[in-house]
Amino acid sequence: MEITSFIVMDILERAKELEAKGVDVVHMEVGEPDFPSPDEVIEAGVKALCDKKTAYTQSVGIPELREAISGYYLDQYKLEIGPERIILTPGSSPALLAAIRICTEGDRVCGLPDPGYPCYKNMARFLGGRFVSLPVEAEGGFKVFPYQLDGIGALVINSPANPTGTVYGREELGLLVEEAAKRGVAIISDEIYHGITYDKPASSVLEFTDEAIVVNGFSKFFLMTGWRLGWMVVPRKMVRLVQSIVQNLFICPPAAAQYAALACFEGAVLAQFREKVKIYRKRRDFIVEALSEMGLNVGVMPQGAFYVYANVSKYTQDSYSFAKRALEEAHIGITPGVDFGDNKTRLYVRFSYANTLERLGEGMRRLREWLRVLV
Ligand SMILES: Cc1ncc(COP(=O)(O)O)c(C=O)c1O
């Protein structure tokens, strides 16, 4: 089976080896928030365990959490999404797996943005589904355009995007959804970075259609990566099918995680998540400026998520060895563009700014010195 390794995990593992030998590594490869879950979330999880809520839950998740997410759609997006369409999963990854399987049924070809989140293509491979890369270019803001929908049966949209931080404007997204509907292209919208945006909130495809599968979760904005909890919003006609899939494949999401996640929707807790976005924004501005000064061109200002996708062609045509050498020689962890596809990815690396300003400052200092030696 042709599954490529998730290179960022390889880099992380090597970084951990170096650290075990006493080397101080600045982590800018990691794709998860550097903040722990809020105390309220942890306390709710602990309470669930003390109350012995250790059994399986409903396969689609506990009703009160589905209600809470439904309420969140109303508050945040002014959308009425019935809780019966919301299905909880053990992380958003299983939701993506189910969504990709459903949408590639009948030999439909799934279009995946390139560069894009690497697991999409490996999930499609694992499932034996067909997929094609849809090149997204810096000049086009790293977005998929409607003309690229020709010949595909399904499309994965990811806004805010990993690795580029691209956020589709409301109209652009609406147009893409409209064109997809005209062509009968099924949409999977990975909205896992929603909430982490810097200019305006990201639009959901649910603002334009009830026919798409939306994937979201508690890992990024809600700071709960290790709890493993995600959700999908599915078209009404698909509810029963998806319920059967999650029953068979995942049994149910983790019980304690679900009770913990209920705390996320309290006003004071939501305010904490929003504070973190302000912190990410300062880091983004800092790192973009520092990289630009070094001639690492950030052609498109990231408007969401916590990544900068920088062009390193001034220094290399091979982002993979560049990232490996940066780790070994400068002790900084970064992710080579080749992790994200084939489209000019040898000329790019991804910097994650899910790290403190102090550490990012140290990372930029090391990078600057290392590049001086490199040229
Ligand atoms: C675009 C994207 N989708 C999905 C995921 C998976 O998140 P989860 O922890 O919810 O499985 C990630 C994680 O990095 C991601 O970047």
Side-chain angles (χ1 to χ4, degrees):
M1 188 183 300
E2 195 210 345
I3 303 278
T4 52
S5 83
F6 197 1
I7 296 174
V8 63
M9 300 310 278
D10 290 346
I11 298 263
L12 189 59
E13 274 152 37
R14 176 64 188 140
K16 294 242 150 59
E17 269 173 35
L18 290 172
E19 282 172 331
K21 288 184 195 149
V23 175
D24 172 60
V25 175
V26 178
H27 291 279
M28 293 181 286
E29 76 284 30
V30 189
E32 69 176 325
D34 56 313
F35 305 106
S37 308
D39 289 345
E40 292 84 341
V41 171
I42 296 172
E43 281 156 19
V46 169
K47 180 168 184 314
L49 291 173
C50 292
D51 290 348
K52 307 207 178 350
K53 291 191 168 144
T54 54
Y56 290 145
T57 68
Q58 289 87 338
S59 58
V60 291
I62 57 174
E64 49 274 53
L65 185 55
R66 299 170 80 199
E67 288 280 354
I69 295 171
S70 170
Y72 186 67
Y73 276 108
L74 194 58
D75 290 347
Q76 297 302 307
Y77 301 87
K78 309 285 170 256
L79 289 173
E80 286 191 24
I81 307 293
E84 68 287 352
R85 290 178 57 202
I86 298 167
I87 294 177
L88 285 142
T89 48
S92 71
S93 303
L96 283 169
L97 198 69
I100 291 173
R101 176 63 187 86
I102 292 168
C103 293
T104 51
E105 174 78 3
D107 230 15
R108 278 169 171 255
V109 178
C110 189
L112 303 174
D114 182 349
Y117 182 54
C119 301
Y120 301 141
K121 63 174 180 297
N122 283 320
M123 287 181 185
R125 282 180 180 135
F126 174 70
L127 295 163
R130 292 169 64 205
F131 66 92
V132 285
S133 293
L134 305 179
V136 291
E137 307 295 344
E139 302 74 44
F142 293 115
K143 290 172 193 161
V144 173
F145 289 97
Y147 74 87
Q148 294 177 289
L149 302 180
D150 289 335
I152 59 172
L155 169 71
V156 175
I157 303 173
N158 178 215
S159 166
N162 179 5
T164 57
T166 287
V167 178
Y168 287 70
R170 193 169 188 281
E171 281 176 20
E172 290 164 336
L173 193 64
L175 190 65
L176 203 55
V177 172
E178 193 182 312
E179 290 296 324
K182 274 189 205 154
R183 293 167 163 87
V185 174
I187 289 181
I188 299 169
S189 182
D190 179 352
E191 304 188 351
I192 186 76
Y193 290 101
H194 271 223
I196 310 178
T197 50
Y198 307 114
D199 299 323
K200 49 184 173 320
S203 295
S204 168
V205 297
L206 294 168
E207 293 167 37
F208 310 101
T209 179
D210 285 325
E211 297 307 312
I213 299 181
V214 166
V215 173
N216 202 332
F218 289 90
S219 284
K220 310 293 173 169
F221 177 66
F222 297 102
L223 310 177
M224 290 182 70
T225 32
W227 297 82
R228 306 312 299 136
L229 194 61
W231 75 80
M232 52 204 305
V233 179
V234 302
R236 209 169 288 279
K237 62 174 188 279
M238 232 181 245
V239 168
R240 188 71 188 122
L241 168 69
V242 177
Q243 183 183 22
S244 308
I245 293 173
V246 298
Q247 281 170 345
N248 280 282
L249 267 59
F250 319 129
I251 306 283
C252 71
Q258 295 183 67
Y259 289 102
L262 279 172
C264 289
F265 301 104
E266 292 165 15
V269 181
L270 280 172
Q272 292 179 45
F273 298 135
R274 293 193 184 111
E275 278 308 306
K276 303 296 186 278
V277 178
K278 289 188 193 153
I279 297 173
Y280 291 139
R281 181 197 195 94
K282 284 200 187 116
R283 297 169 176 179
R284 177 199 65 169
D285 293 348
F286 166 74
I287 193 172
V288 166
E289 191 179 333
L291 291 173
S292 305
E293 279 167 7
M294 287 177 238
L296 303 192
N297 179 20
V298 182
V300 184
M301 185 65 159
Q303 295 162 319
F306 33 66
Y307 308 114
V308 177
Y309 195 58
N311 187 314
V312 287
S313 57
K314 182 172 169 196
Y315 298 95
T316 184
Q317 303 287 310
D318 177 1
S319 60
Y320 185 59
S321 19
F322 184 85
K324 277 177 79 172
R325 283 187 63 189
L327 180 58
E328 300 297 332
E329 296 166 21
H331 302 149
I332 52 177
I334 51 179
T335 311
V338 291
D339 207 10
F340 305 101
D342 299 320
N343 177 29
K344 305 187 185 82
T345 51
R346 296 169 77 83
L347 308 181
Y348 285 86
V349 295
R350 185 192 76 175
F351 292 81
S352 160
Y353 47 91
N355 204 339
T356 61
L357 263 183
E358 195 194 348
R359 293 299 283 165
L360 293 173
E362 173 61 14
M364 291 300 108
R365 190 192 63 75
R366 290 184 194 179
L367 182 64
R368 202 173 292 118
E369 281 186 9
W370 182 64
L371 290 177
R372 238 177 245 141
V373 183
L374 209 64
V375 287

PDB file of all heavy atoms in Angstrom, residues 301-328:
ATOM      1  N   MET A 301       0.018  36.742   2.722  1.00  0.00           N
ATOM      2  CA  MET A 301      -0.067  36.892   4.185  1.00  0.00           C
ATOM      3  C   MET A 301      -1.086  35.895   4.727  1.00  0.00           C
ATOM      4  O   MET A 301      -2.253  35.914   4.330  1.00  0.00           O
ATOM      5  CB  MET A 301      -0.509  38.317   4.507  1.00  0.00           C
ATOM      6  CG  MET A 301      -0.514  38.620   5.983  1.00  0.00           C
ATOM      7  SD  MET A 301       1.191  38.566   6.649  1.00  0.00           S
ATOM      8  CE  MET A 301       0.997  39.542   8.132  1.00  0.00           C
ATOM      9  N   PRO A 302      -0.659  34.990   5.623  1.00  0.00           N
ATOM     10  CA  PRO A 302      -1.627  34.023   6.153  1.00  0.00           C
ATOM     11  C   PRO A 302      -2.718  34.737   6.963  1.00  0.00           C
ATOM     12  O   PRO A 302      -2.411  35.574   7.799  1.00  0.00           O
ATOM     13  CB  PRO A 302      -0.783  33.116   7.050  1.00  0.00           C
ATOM     14  CG  PRO A 302       0.587  33.660   7.076  1.00  0.00           C
ATOM     15  CD  PRO A 302       0.688  34.824   6.167  1.00  0.00           C
ATOM     16  N   GLN A 303      -3.951  34.394   6.690  1.00  0.00           N
ATOM     17  CA  GLN A 303      -5.063  35.071   7.377  1.00  0.00           C
ATOM     18  C   GLN A 303      -5.717  34.185   8.431  1.00  0.00           C
ATOM     19  O   GLN A 303      -6.683  34.577   9.074  1.00  0.00           O
ATOM     20  CB  GLN A 303      -6.120  35.476   6.358  1.00  0.00           C
ATOM     21  CG  GLN A 303      -5.627  36.507   5.370  1.00  0.00           C
ATOM     22  CD  GLN A 303      -6.514  36.551   4.160  1.00  0.00           C
ATOM     23  OE1 GLN A 303      -6.960  35.528   3.649  1.00  0.00           O
ATOM     24  NE2 GLN A 303      -6.802  37.759   3.727  1.00  0.00           N
ATOM     25  N   GLY A 304      -5.214  32.953   8.552  1.00  0.00           N
ATOM     26  CA  GLY A 304      -5.793  32.060   9.542  1.00  0.00           C
ATOM     27  C   GLY A 304      -4.846  30.912   9.834  1.00  0.00           C
ATOM     28  O   GLY A 304      -3.751  30.826   9.275  1.00  0.00           O
ATOM     29  N   ALA A 305      -5.274  30.010  10.732  1.00  0.00           N
ATOM     30  CA  ALA A 305      -4.451  28.895  11.232  1.00  0.00           C
ATOM     31  C   ALA A 305      -3.185  29.456  11.895  1.00  0.00           C
ATOM     32  O   ALA A 305      -3.128  30.647  12.208  1.00  0.00           O
ATOM     33  CB  ALA A 305      -4.135  27.893  10.124  1.00  0.00           C
ATOM     34  N   PHE A 306      -2.157  28.628  12.116  1.00  0.00           N
ATOM     35  CA  PHE A 306      -0.943  29.178  12.735  1.00  0.00           C
ATOM     36  C   PHE A 306       0.310  28.769  11.971  1.00  0.00           C
ATOM     37  O   PHE A 306       1.292  28.313  12.555  1.00  0.00           O
ATOM     38  CB  PHE A 306      -0.847  28.817  14.233  1.00  0.00           C
ATOM     39  CG  PHE A 306      -1.429  27.476  14.622  1.00  0.00           C
ATOM     40  CD1 PHE A 306      -0.872  26.298  14.169  1.00  0.00           C
ATOM     41  CD2 PHE A 306      -2.548  27.409  15.454  1.00  0.00           C
ATOM     42  CE1 PHE A 306      -1.407  25.079  14.535  1.00  0.00           C
ATOM     43  CE2 PHE A 306      -3.093  26.193  15.823  1.00  0.00           C
ATOM     44  CZ  PHE A 306      -2.521  25.014  15.354  1.00  0.00           C
ATOM     45  N   TYR A 307       0.229  28.944  10.655  1.00  0.00           N
ATOM     46  CA  TYR A 307       1.347  28.567   9.785  1.00  0.00           C
ATOM     47  C   TYR A 307       1.726  29.693   8.835  1.00  0.00           C
ATOM     48  O   TYR A 307       0.871  30.454   8.395  1.00  0.00           O
ATOM     49  CB  TYR A 307       0.957  27.369   8.921  1.00  0.00           C
ATOM     50  CG  TYR A 307       0.405  26.199   9.694  1.00  0.00           C
ATOM     51  CD1 TYR A 307      -0.927  25.809   9.536  1.00  0.00           C
ATOM     52  CD2 TYR A 307       1.206  25.490  10.582  1.00  0.00           C
ATOM     53  CE1 TYR A 307      -1.448  24.741  10.246  1.00  0.00           C
ATOM     54  CE2 TYR A 307       0.696  24.415  11.297  1.00  0.00           C
ATOM     55  CZ  TYR A 307      -0.633  24.047  11.124  1.00  0.00           C
ATOM     56  OH  TYR A 307      -1.147  22.988  11.828  1.00  0.00           O
ATOM     57  N   VAL A 308       3.035  29.713   8.516  1.00  0.00           N
ATOM     58  CA  VAL A 308       3.518  30.579   7.445  1.00  0.00           C
ATOM     59  C   VAL A 308       4.169  29.665   6.417  1.00  0.00           C
ATOM     60  O   VAL A 308       5.020  28.838   6.767  1.00  0.00           O
ATOM     61  CB  VAL A 308       4.573  31.585   7.969  1.00  0.00           C
ATOM     62  CG1 VAL A 308       5.112  32.414   6.822  1.00  0.00           C
ATOM     63  CG2 VAL A 308       3.975  32.490   9.037  1.00  0.00           C
ATOM     64  N   TYR A 309       3.762  29.798   5.181  1.00  0.00           N
ATOM     65  CA  TYR A 309       4.300  28.972   4.103  1.00  0.00           C
ATOM     66  C   TYR A 309       5.253  29.868   3.313  1.00  0.00           C
ATOM     67  O   TYR A 309       4.823  30.757   2.583  1.00  0.00           O
ATOM     68  CB  TYR A 309       3.139  28.494   3.242  1.00  0.00           C
ATOM     69  CG  TYR A 309       3.463  27.364   2.295  1.00  0.00           C
ATOM     70  CD1 TYR A 309       3.952  26.147   2.757  1.00  0.00           C
ATOM     71  CD2 TYR A 309       3.242  27.513   0.921  1.00  0.00           C
ATOM     72  CE1 TYR A 309       4.213  25.114   1.887  1.00  0.00           C
ATOM     73  CE2 TYR A 309       3.500  26.466   0.042  1.00  0.00           C
ATOM     74  CZ  TYR A 309       3.990  25.274   0.536  1.00  0.00           C
ATOM     75  OH  TYR A 309       4.242  24.238  -0.329  1.00  0.00           O
ATOM     76  N   ALA A 310       6.548  29.639   3.537  1.00  0.00           N
ATOM     77  CA  ALA A 310       7.525  30.588   3.012  1.00  0.00           C
ATOM     78  C   ALA A 310       8.323  29.992   1.856  1.00  0.00           C
ATOM     79  O   ALA A 310       8.704  28.821   1.891  1.00  0.00           O
ATOM     80  CB  ALA A 310       8.478  30.994   4.128  1.00  0.00           C
ATOM     81  N   ASN A 311       8.583  30.841   0.866  1.00  0.00           N
ATOM     82  CA  ASN A 311       9.351  30.430  -0.298  1.00  0.00           C
ATOM     83  C   ASN A 311      10.847  30.526   0.040  1.00  0.00           C
ATOM     84  O   ASN A 311      11.340  31.596   0.384  1.00  0.00           O
ATOM     85  CB  ASN A 311       8.993  31.359  -1.465  1.00  0.00           C
ATOM     86  CG  ASN A 311       9.603  30.901  -2.764  1.00  0.00           C
ATOM     87  OD1 ASN A 311      10.784  30.563  -2.811  1.00  0.00           O
ATOM     88  ND2 ASN A 311       8.809  30.881  -3.811  1.00  0.00           N
ATOM     89  N   VAL A 312      11.537  29.388  -0.070  1.00  0.00           N
ATOM     90  CA  VAL A 312      12.952  29.350   0.318  1.00  0.00           C
ATOM     91  C   VAL A 312      13.862  29.220  -0.907  1.00  0.00           C
ATOM     92  O   VAL A 312      15.027  28.855  -0.789  1.00  0.00           O
ATOM     93  CB  VAL A 312      13.242  28.192   1.317  1.00  0.00           C
ATOM     94  CG1 VAL A 312      12.690  28.520   2.685  1.00  0.00           C
ATOM     95  CG2 VAL A 312      12.682  26.850   0.837  1.00  0.00           C
ATOM     96  N   SER A 313      13.317  29.557  -2.083  1.00  0.00           N
ATOM     97  CA  SER A 313      14.083  29.307  -3.314  1.00  0.00           C
ATOM     98  C   SER A 313      15.348  30.167  -3.404  1.00  0.00           C
ATOM     99  O   SER A 313      16.233  29.869  -4.185  1.00  0.00           O
ATOM    100  CB  SER A 313      13.202  29.505  -4.551  1.00  0.00           C
ATOM    101  OG  SER A 313      12.666  30.783  -4.548  1.00  0.00           O
ATOM    102  N   LYS A 314      15.427  31.217  -2.583  1.00  0.00           N
ATOM    103  CA  LYS A 314      16.667  31.998  -2.570  1.00  0.00           C
ATOM    104  C   LYS A 314      17.823  31.130  -2.053  1.00  0.00           C
ATOM    105  O   LYS A 314      18.980  31.360  -2.364  1.00  0.00           O
ATOM    106  CB  LYS A 314      16.462  33.214  -1.650  1.00  0.00           C
ATOM    107  CG  LYS A 314      17.631  34.134  -1.575  1.00  0.00           C
ATOM    108  CD  LYS A 314      17.314  35.404  -0.812  1.00  0.00           C
ATOM    109  CE  LYS A 314      18.606  36.156  -0.538  1.00  0.00           C
ATOM    110  NZ  LYS A 314      18.445  37.173   0.491  1.00  0.00           N
ATOM    111  N   TYR A 315      17.500  30.118  -1.264  1.00  0.00           N
ATOM    112  CA  TYR A 315      18.536  29.304  -0.624  1.00  0.00           C
ATOM    113  C   TYR A 315      18.606  27.862  -1.110  1.00  0.00           C
ATOM    114  O   TYR A 315      19.626  27.202  -0.955  1.00  0.00           O
ATOM    115  CB  TYR A 315      18.332  29.296   0.896  1.00  0.00           C
ATOM    116  CG  TYR A 315      18.455  30.663   1.503  1.00  0.00           C
ATOM    117  CD1 TYR A 315      17.317  31.449   1.720  1.00  0.00           C
ATOM    118  CD2 TYR A 315      19.695  31.194   1.816  1.00  0.00           C
ATOM    119  CE1 TYR A 315      17.423  32.723   2.265  1.00  0.00           C
ATOM    120  CE2 TYR A 315      19.817  32.466   2.357  1.00  0.00           C
ATOM    121  CZ  TYR A 315      18.671  33.223   2.574  1.00  0.00           C
ATOM    122  OH  TYR A 315      18.788  34.477   3.098  1.00  0.00           O
ATOM    123  N   THR A 316      17.492  27.347  -1.624  1.00  0.00           N
ATOM    124  CA  THR A 316      17.485  25.921  -1.980  1.00  0.00           C
ATOM    125  C   THR A 316      16.404  25.605  -3.000  1.00  0.00           C
ATOM    126  O   THR A 316      15.422  26.348  -3.137  1.00  0.00           O
ATOM    127  CB  THR A 316      17.261  25.049  -0.716  1.00  0.00           C
ATOM    128  OG1 THR A 316      17.357  23.678  -1.079  1.00  0.00           O
ATOM    129  CG2 THR A 316      15.871  25.257  -0.122  1.00  0.00           C
ATOM    130  N   GLN A 317      16.606  24.507  -3.694  1.00  0.00           N
ATOM    131  CA  GLN A 317      15.577  23.980  -4.589  1.00  0.00           C
ATOM    132  C   GLN A 317      15.064  22.665  -3.998  1.00  0.00           C
ATOM    133  O   GLN A 317      14.364  21.921  -4.668  1.00  0.00           O
ATOM    134  CB  GLN A 317      16.159  23.688  -5.994  1.00  0.00           C
ATOM    135  CG  GLN A 317      16.806  24.874  -6.665  1.00  0.00           C
ATOM    136  CD  GLN A 317      15.776  25.879  -7.137  1.00  0.00           C
ATOM    137  OE1 GLN A 317      14.816  25.526  -7.807  1.00  0.00           O
ATOM    138  NE2 GLN A 317      15.944  27.138  -6.779  1.00  0.00           N
ATOM    139  N   ASP A 318      15.477  22.375  -2.770  1.00  0.00           N
ATOM    140  CA  ASP A 318      15.157  21.082  -2.177  1.00  0.00           C
ATOM    141  C   ASP A 318      14.758  21.276  -0.707  1.00  0.00           C
ATOM    142  O   ASP A 318      15.594  21.203   0.194  1.00  0.00           O
ATOM    143  CB  ASP A 318      16.393  20.168  -2.301  1.00  0.00           C
ATOM    144  CG  ASP A 318      16.182  18.822  -1.636  1.00  0.00           C
ATOM    145  OD1 ASP A 318      15.084  18.569  -1.099  1.00  0.00           O
ATOM    146  OD2 ASP A 318      17.143  18.029  -1.621  1.00  0.00           O
ATOM    147  N   SER A 319      13.480  21.545  -0.521  1.00  0.00           N
ATOM    148  CA  SER A 319      13.014  21.908   0.827  1.00  0.00           C
ATOM    149  C   SER A 319      13.201  20.772   1.832  1.00  0.00           C
ATOM    150  O   SER A 319      13.352  21.005   3.030  1.00  0.00           O
ATOM    151  CB  SER A 319      11.545  22.323   0.777  1.00  0.00           C
ATOM    152  OG  SER A 319      10.729  21.273   0.286  1.00  0.00           O
ATOM    153  N   TYR A 320      13.237  19.532   1.330  1.00  0.00           N
ATOM    154  CA  TYR A 320      13.367  18.395   2.235  1.00  0.00           C
ATOM    155  C   TYR A 320      14.744  18.399   2.908  1.00  0.00           C
ATOM    156  O   TYR A 320      14.852  18.363   4.134  1.00  0.00           O
ATOM    157  CB  TYR A 320      13.122  17.082   1.485  1.00  0.00           C
ATOM    158  CG  TYR A 320      13.115  15.863   2.385  1.00  0.00           C
ATOM    159  CD1 TYR A 320      12.205  15.765   3.430  1.00  0.00           C
ATOM    160  CD2 TYR A 320      14.019  14.827   2.186  1.00  0.00           C
ATOM    161  CE1 TYR A 320      12.193  14.647   4.264  1.00  0.00           C
ATOM    162  CE2 TYR A 320      14.014  13.702   3.007  1.00  0.00           C
ATOM    163  CZ  TYR A 320      13.097  13.625   4.041  1.00  0.00           C
ATOM    164  OH  TYR A 320      13.085  12.526   4.865  1.00  0.00           O
ATOM    165  N   SER A 321      15.805  18.489   2.077  1.00  0.00           N
ATOM    166  CA  SER A 321      17.128  18.503   2.729  1.00  0.00           C
ATOM    167  C   SER A 321      17.338  19.799   3.491  1.00  0.00           C
ATOM    168  O   SER A 321      18.029  19.819   4.519  1.00  0.00           O
ATOM    169  CB  SER A 321      18.289  18.254   1.759  1.00  0.00           C
ATOM    170  OG  SER A 321      17.935  18.482   0.478  1.00  0.00           O
ATOM    171  N   PHE A 322      16.726  20.877   3.015  1.00  0.00           N
ATOM    172  CA  PHE A 322      16.821  22.156   3.733  1.00  0.00           C
ATOM    173  C   PHE A 322      16.280  21.983   5.163  1.00  0.00           C
ATOM    174  O   PHE A 322      16.931  22.369   6.140  1.00  0.00           O
ATOM    175  CB  PHE A 322      16.000  23.204   2.969  1.00  0.00           C
ATOM    176  CG  PHE A 322      16.058  24.602   3.524  1.00  0.00           C
ATOM    177  CD1 PHE A 322      17.089  25.470   3.180  1.00  0.00           C
ATOM    178  CD2 PHE A 322      15.056  25.071   4.367  1.00  0.00           C
ATOM    179  CE1 PHE A 322      17.125  26.777   3.680  1.00  0.00           C
ATOM    180  CE2 PHE A 322      15.079  26.363   4.867  1.00  0.00           C
ATOM    181  CZ  PHE A 322      16.120  27.220   4.518  1.00  0.00           C
ATOM    182  N   ALA A 323      15.095  21.377   5.281  1.00  0.00           N
ATOM    183  CA  ALA A 323      14.470  21.213   6.608  1.00  0.00           C
ATOM    184  C   ALA A 323      15.284  20.252   7.463  1.00  0.00           C
ATOM    185  O   ALA A 323      15.463  20.468   8.671  1.00  0.00           O
ATOM    186  CB  ALA A 323      13.044  20.715   6.453  1.00  0.00           C
ATOM    187  N   LYS A 324      15.816  19.191   6.818  1.00  0.00           N
ATOM    188  CA  LYS A 324      16.613  18.225   7.589  1.00  0.00           C
ATOM    189  C   LYS A 324      17.894  18.869   8.113  1.00  0.00           C
ATOM    190  O   LYS A 324      18.256  18.704   9.269  1.00  0.00           O
ATOM    191  CB  LYS A 324      16.944  17.004   6.724  1.00  0.00           C
ATOM    192  CG  LYS A 324      15.789  16.009   6.708  1.00  0.00           C
ATOM    193  CD  LYS A 324      16.043  14.836   5.827  1.00  0.00           C
ATOM    194  CE  LYS A 324      16.930  13.788   6.455  1.00  0.00           C
ATOM    195  NZ  LYS A 324      16.989  12.568   5.631  1.00  0.00           N
ATOM    196  N   ARG A 325      18.523  19.645   7.224  1.00  0.00           N
ATOM    197  CA  ARG A 325      19.766  20.318   7.646  1.00  0.00           C
ATOM    198  C   ARG A 325      19.477  21.387   8.701  1.00  0.00           C
ATOM    199  O   ARG A 325      20.259  21.575   9.631  1.00  0.00           O
ATOM    200  CB  ARG A 325      20.456  20.959   6.439  1.00  0.00           C
ATOM    201  CG  ARG A 325      21.187  19.948   5.569  1.00  0.00           C
ATOM    202  CD  ARG A 325      21.995  20.630   4.489  1.00  0.00           C
ATOM    203  NE  ARG A 325      23.062  21.480   5.026  1.00  0.00           N
ATOM    204  CZ  ARG A 325      23.791  22.309   4.296  1.00  0.00           C
ATOM    205  NH1 ARG A 325      23.579  22.397   2.988  1.00  0.00           N
ATOM    206  NH2 ARG A 325      24.737  23.055   4.841  1.00  0.00           N
ATOM    207  N   ALA A 326      18.364  22.087   8.550  1.00  0.00           N
ATOM    208  CA  ALA A 326      18.015  23.128   9.537  1.00  0.00           C
ATOM    209  C   ALA A 326      17.892  22.507  10.933  1.00  0.00           C
ATOM    210  O   ALA A 326      18.302  23.098  11.929  1.00  0.00           O
ATOM    211  CB  ALA A 326      16.714  23.821   9.140  1.00  0.00           C
ATOM    212  N   LEU A 327      17.368  21.289  10.952  1.00  0.00           N
ATOM    213  CA  LEU A 327      17.217  20.608  12.244  1.00  0.00           C
ATOM    214  C   LEU A 327      18.583  20.162  12.790  1.00  0.00           C
ATOM    215  O   LEU A 327      18.927  20.416  13.942  1.00  0.00           O
ATOM    216  CB  LEU A 327      16.277  19.407  12.095  1.00  0.00           C
ATOM    217  CG  LEU A 327      16.026  18.591  13.357  1.00  0.00           C
ATOM    218  CD1 LEU A 327      15.445  19.452  14.476  1.00  0.00           C
ATOM    219  CD2 LEU A 327      15.071  17.425  13.068  1.00  0.00           C
ATOM    220  N   GLU A 328      19.364  19.522  11.917  1.00  0.00           N
ATOM    221  CA  GLU A 328      20.649  18.982  12.378  1.00  0.00           C
ATOM    222  C   GLU A 328      21.651  20.089  12.698  1.00  0.00           C
ATOM    223  O   GLU A 328      22.393  19.997  13.665  1.00  0.00           O
ATOM    224  CB  GLU A 328      21.269  18.053  11.315  1.00  0.00           C
ATOM    225  CG  GLU A 328      20.423  16.846  10.941  1.00  0.00           C
ATOM    226  CD  GLU A 328      20.186  15.869  12.097  1.00  0.00           C
ATOM    227  OE1 GLU A 328      21.037  15.791  12.995  1.00  0.00           O
ATOM    228  OE2 GLU A 328      19.117  15.203  12.100  1.00  0.00           O
TER     229      GLU A 328
END
